[in-house]
Structure formats: structure tokens, C-alpha cells
Amino acid sequence: GGQASVFVVNRQWPIWFATGSRILTNVNEPSLEAGIPVEIFPNPVQDYLTIRTVFSSQGTVRIRVINALGQVIRQVDSPFLSGNWTYELPMNAMPSGMYRIQLDTGKESATLNVVRQ
């Protein structure tokens, strides 16, 4: 891992500076329901990406994997119930590179970035 430091310029905006192999993510975590973050791990991924969140009702979430060219290369619909939800997304057949994982419930959506090693 590396070390991360926060430098404040004119006391207005924090700027992240990192050394080593550390991945920094946006402070505003993606969420499908207000205040409930969507987690993805491991990132970078080799075989299966775990997607996890909590839902307050039941429904279906559409999961899209989008490549660097903006093409949807995989799409899956997964039902969910109220409570904890986990999905194992196979990525082992995909080429190495950067992907966007888009989740859409029809009411809410979230987009997360992942690297396939």
C-alpha cells in the first residue's frame, strides 16, 4: 500500500496526494437508496466482483458492465428483497481494463468504476 495525505489549499478544497499503489475513491459514495452506499470488492478484480448494498423494499436491479468504449458488454437482472443484498458478478472472462458497473432499480441508479486485472 501507499500513504495518503490531505493538503488544504486556501482552506477551500482538499487535494489528495498519494504515493505507492493506493486507490482513492470519491468521498461521495455511490448509493441506490439515500445514504446507503453500494460496495464493490475486490477492486482491482480478477475473477468475481462482489456487489453489496441494502434495500428498503423489494424489486429488480439491472446490472450493466460497460467497457472503456461505452459498450454494454454484460447485462443481468437480479431480484432483491428488503434488507441486505449481495451479488457475485463473474468477470474472469473479460479482458483486463477499466469498467463501469451500473446498477439501476428503475427508481435509483449508481455507477461504480472497477479495474479488471
Side-chain angles (χ1 to χ4, degrees):
Q3 296 178 348
S5 303
V6 176
F7 295 96
V8 179
V9 179
N10 296 332
R11 293 186 293 173
Q12 291 178 355
W13 298 101
I15 298 172
W16 287 92
F17 175 77
T19 58
S21 59
R22 184 178 180 96
I23 296 175
L24 300 175
T25 58
N26 190 332
V27 174
N28 298 320
E29 296 179 279
S31 64
L32 285 174
E33 295 195 12
I36 302 172
V38 176
E39 299 175 273
I40 60 169
F41 58 91
N43 190 5
V45 62
Q46 291 183 351
D47 297 319
Y48 287 85
L49 181 71
T50 300
I51 306 169
R52 186 163 57 195
T53 192
V54 178
F55 289 106
S56 61
S57 61
Q58 66 181 28
T60 301
V61 60
R62 175 160 288 167
I63 304 163
R64 289 186 187 100
V65 180
I66 303 166
N67 67 14
L69 300 175
Q71 300 165 322
V72 175
I73 59 168
R74 184 178 177 110
Q75 180 171 298
V76 175
D77 290 337
S78 174
F80 62 84
L81 300 174
S82 178
N84 294 327
W85 175 82
T86 302
Y87 188 84
E88 298 288 327
L89 180 66
M91 295 195 65
N92 49 350
M94 297 178 195
S96 297
M98 177 76 83
Y99 294 90
R100 288 194 328 265
I101 308 298
Q102 186 180 69
L103 307 173
D104 189 347
T105 64
K107 297 178 186 175
E108 306 280 345
S109 65
T111 302
L112 303 100
N113 294 320
V114 66
V115 175
R116 162 78 170 92
Q117 286 186 325

